[in-house]
Amino acid sequence: MPTVGFIGLGAMGAPMAWNLDEAGFDLVVYNRTTDREQPFAEAGVSVADSPKHLTERADVVCCIVSDGDAVAELLERDRGVLAGLDEDTVVVQMSTIGYAETMAAADLVTEAGARFVDAPVSGTVGPAEDGTLVGLAGGDEGTVEEVRPILEAMCEPVVHCGEVGQGTNMKLFINLLLGDAMAAFAEALVFGRANGLDVEAMRTVVANGALDCPLFDIKGGTVADGDFAPRFPVDYQFKDLSLALDRAGEVGAPLSQTAAARESFSAARARGYGNEDMTAVIKPMEETAGVEAREE
């Protein structure tokens, strides 16, 4: 089996790396803050002292970090990924970043003589732990198939979306829809409460009609319980909607609903809810209307 280097051991990355270890891959990990490496070291997983050190030891390098700036820094820094590449290495970029940032990273990797796949994932911490994230892979078909067993240790299913960059476009597509739907659901719940409707009754109506879906079921439940612990924070949803709007401007696609949704998430950030779950988009709406969408 190939040796897999995994960079980025945050809330999403750590369980993804553990799934690779459990699948039997020879694993090497690295994180910018070393405390996140400690559980892996204690479990006998190899820890690299730099991205270059990791890359030199790995056949496939996966990375999932916060944003495009972090990806660029990881590649280009002193003792970064680029310094450790050779022609047999595949870099799998799994962070949610912009299309232009993805293509810039791909150019750096290919100019260094290695191969590149963009494979952001759809899902939150629960699916990351269960290995049921949706992998959205963009790249040469042969290269994607080469790394598919690695992706399948973390994702179910893995969708080949097309050439490099199309994985990123697919991630922006699905998170655009997620943000728009969550903002609309929040507005509907606040509208209902402002009209005296019962939260449980509203959820029952949604669950038994054409709008029934896991998002409204799960997120409606956490809102009703007053549980805003971050599974996917407001800050991240705001970032992804901003990336989608940037890309839409590049290709001339109108996103009026998405622009409105982003402003709803912007309002939640401005009220101090950026680190709470995306469902906290409802809080400024509740505060303005003077109601709460909680079950008694």
Side-chain angles (χ1 to χ4, degrees):
M1 298 179 77
T3 298
V4 181
F6 198 96
I7 301 174
L9 303 174
M12 292 289 290
M16 293 165 69
W18 283 122
N19 285 332
L20 288 168
D21 182 57
E22 291 173 10
F25 289 99
D26 183 15
L27 183 64
V28 186
V29 299
Y30 171 81
N31 196 74
R32 287 177 292 181
T33 52
T34 57
D35 60 308
R36 294 186 179 273
E37 299 171 341
Q38 192 60 34
F40 290 88
E42 292 173 354
V45 174
S46 296
V47 176
D49 62 18
S50 69
K52 177 178 183 289
H53 181 213
L54 177 144
T55 303
E56 288 173 337
R57 299 171 60 185
D59 302 299
V60 177
V61 176
C62 300
C63 68
I64 181 164
V65 292
S66 57
D67 55 30
D69 289 341
V71 171
E73 194 270 343
L74 184 67
L75 292 172
E76 298 184 274
R77 59 176 280 189
D78 183 44
R79 295 176 57 78
V81 169
L82 294 179
L85 291 175
D86 63 38
E87 62 183 10
D88 295 322
T89 312
V90 181
V91 174
V92 182
Q93 200 301 106
M94 307 186 78
S95 319
T96 300
I97 62 177
Y99 179 83
E101 293 167 325
T102 294
M103 301 310 292
D107 287 345
L108 288 170
V109 169
T110 55
E111 286 168 6
R115 292 172 291 160
F116 184 91
V117 171
D118 75 299
V121 294
S122 179
T124 56
V125 174
E129 293 171 344
D130 297 340
T132 56
L133 296 164
V134 182
L136 311 171
D140 171 77
E141 184 175 0
T143 306
V144 170
E145 291 307 308
E146 183 178 332
V147 301
R148 182 178 288 275
I150 295 168
L151 295 175
E152 288 180 342
M154 302 176 280
C155 305
E156 182 185 341
V158 174
V159 181
H160 184 202
C161 302
E163 61 190 12
V164 169
Q166 292 298 77
T168 292
N169 282 334
M170 188 68 81
K171 180 59 187 290
L172 296 181
F173 152 77
I174 195 62
N175 276 25
L176 175 162
L177 184 58
L178 173 66
D180 286 8
M182 188 65 240
F185 186 42
E187 282 193 350
L189 289 172
V190 170
F191 170 82
R193 289 298 297 129
N195 281 284
L197 296 177
D198 177 75
V199 172
E200 183 177 358
M202 287 190 287
R203 293 184 60 212
T204 298
V205 170
V206 171
N208 287 277
L211 292 174
D212 180 34
C213 70
L215 175 69
F216 295 158
D217 179 35
I218 295 167
K219 295 303 188 182
T222 58
V223 168
D225 292 340
D227 176 8
F228 296 96
R231 287 86 173 172
F232 184 59
V234 164
D235 280 344
Y236 287 6
Q237 182 63 80
F238 175 82
K239 179 199 77 170
D240 291 353
L241 292 176
S242 296
L243 291 173
L245 286 163
D246 288 346
R247 183 59 179 157
E250 293 167 2
V251 298
L255 295 184
S256 56
Q257 304 305 314
T258 302
R262 183 180 66 172
E263 293 313 298
S264 294
F265 284 95
S266 182
R269 297 176 79 229
R271 298 281 182 96
Y273 304 131
N275 291 325
E276 297 188 17
D277 190 69
M278 63 180 291
T279 49
V281 71
I282 199 172
K283 287 188 173 183
M285 303 175 192
E286 292 176 327
E287 291 163 4
T288 299
V291 298
E292 284 191 344
R294 310 287 182 270
E295 289 184 354
E296 299 295 331

